[in-house]
Every structure is written in structure tokens, then in C-alpha cells.
Amino acid sequence: KIRAGYTPPDEVEKYVSRGKQISNARELYGVPGLGKTSEQQKQPLTKSQKKNLQRKAAKERKSAEPSTPSSNGSTTIEEQVQQSMAAVSLQDDGSNIDTSKEIKKLNKKIRQAQDLIAKQQAGEELNEEQKSKIDKVAEWQRQAKQLESQL
């Protein structure tokens, strides 16, 4: 005999949690509010959006331009950093890891000092620590070249 209201196991619906139901609905209908309406697409750009677009375009132009050597004939700081990074990437053994780290540290200090020099030329007043950092640039460049020659 079969009892009244009995449902065989193969006919019972599988339980689906509330979260799974929501994720299934997302797959079918998408995320609510994600799509842009025609009103949102027609709105003019805000002042900050225009500014950000200009910054992005300027950054792309700057990256597209080839870097030129500085007026004294030496390579720029960025080129020195790229060269030292390339030299470091060629070294796969563990013996030169300390040397490559030192080169990276020195190049970072040189970049920071160059930024300070630019600020000073723009007329900004520097404190004593910043001035001493600028004075040490030549020494750091010499040390970086010496370490690069060791690689």
C-alpha cells in the first residue's frame, strides 16, 4: 500500500538555498542597476572626469615619447633604473641578490633626490634632511655604477 501524500524520492525537488536562487536569477537577468540607461550615457562629463581624462591622455603621451638623455650627455635616472633592473633580471643565481637589492635601493634614493631637485628648482623651500639628500646624489650614483660593474 502507498500512503496518501507520499512522493517517491526521485520525484522530490532538490533543495535550493536562497543564495543559490539569487545567483541563478543574476545569471538570467543580470545584476540590477549594472547596465547604463540611455539617460546616464547622455550626461556630459563632470569637471573632475574631464580632468582625469586629460591626465590619462598626458600620461599616455609621456609614455609614448622616447626618453631623451639629459643635457650633460648622461642617461636619465629612469634609464639608469631600467638598465639596473635589466641587469638584475639576468641574474638568476642567489649570489648576486644582495648586490641587486643594493642597486635598487640606491636607484630609489637617486630618484627621490631628483624629485627634490625638481621641487627646489620650482622654488619650494627644502629642509636640512632634504638638502643633505641632494648632496649625496653623486656618491649614490658612483656606488650604483660600482655595484653594477660587479654584476
Side-chain angles (χ1 to χ4, degrees):
K1 287 184 171 180
I2 299 176
R3 291 185 182 176
Y6 173 77
T7 314
D10 54 331
E11 293 179 12
V12 175
E13 289 186 32
K14 184 177 175 184
Y15 172 75
V16 179
S17 69
R18 181 77 175 138
K20 188 64 176 175
Q21 290 173 357
I22 292 172
S23 67
N24 288 341
R26 272 194 206 137
E27 290 175 7
L28 292 175
Y29 305 110
V31 179
L34 183 63
K36 291 188 174 184
T37 64
S38 59
E39 293 176 14
Q40 291 174 334
Q41 293 174 347
K42 293 179 182 178
Q43 291 179 348
L45 296 176
T46 63
K47 187 176 181 180
S48 59
Q49 288 173 333
K50 290 177 185 176
K51 190 176 182 181
N52 287 337
L53 285 174
Q54 289 175 350
R55 285 181 183 169
K56 187 176 180 181
K59 187 175 183 180
E60 289 174 0
R61 276 188 262 121
K62 185 176 180 181
S63 65
E65 293 176 2
S67 58
T68 57
S70 59
S71 59
N72 60 4
S74 64
T75 58
T76 62
I77 301 300
E78 292 84 15
E79 290 173 348
Q80 290 177 357
V81 171
Q82 289 174 354
Q83 290 171 356
S84 64
M85 296 283 267
V88 169
S89 65
L90 294 175
Q91 302 295 331
D92 289 334
D93 59 347
S95 63
N96 291 326
I97 292 176
D98 293 333
T99 306
S100 62
K101 284 185 180 181
E102 287 299 319
I103 291 173
K104 287 181 183 180
K105 288 179 187 177
L106 288 171
N107 286 331
K108 181 179 179 182
K109 289 179 182 179
I110 293 169
R111 274 195 320 268
Q112 290 172 342
Q114 293 296 328
D115 292 341
L116 291 174
I117 291 171
K119 285 182 180 181
Q120 188 178 33
Q121 290 175 349
E124 191 172 321
E125 189 65 31
L126 302 179
N127 62 28
E128 292 301 318
E129 291 177 4
Q130 293 170 328
K131 290 177 183 176
S132 66
K133 187 176 251 188
I134 290 173
D135 295 337
K136 296 177 185 176
V137 172
E139 176 65 23
W140 290 334
Q141 288 174 338
R142 185 191 61 76
Q143 288 177 356
K145 286 184 181 182
Q146 183 181 11
L147 289 173
E148 286 175 1
S149 65
Q150 290 178 2
L151 294 177

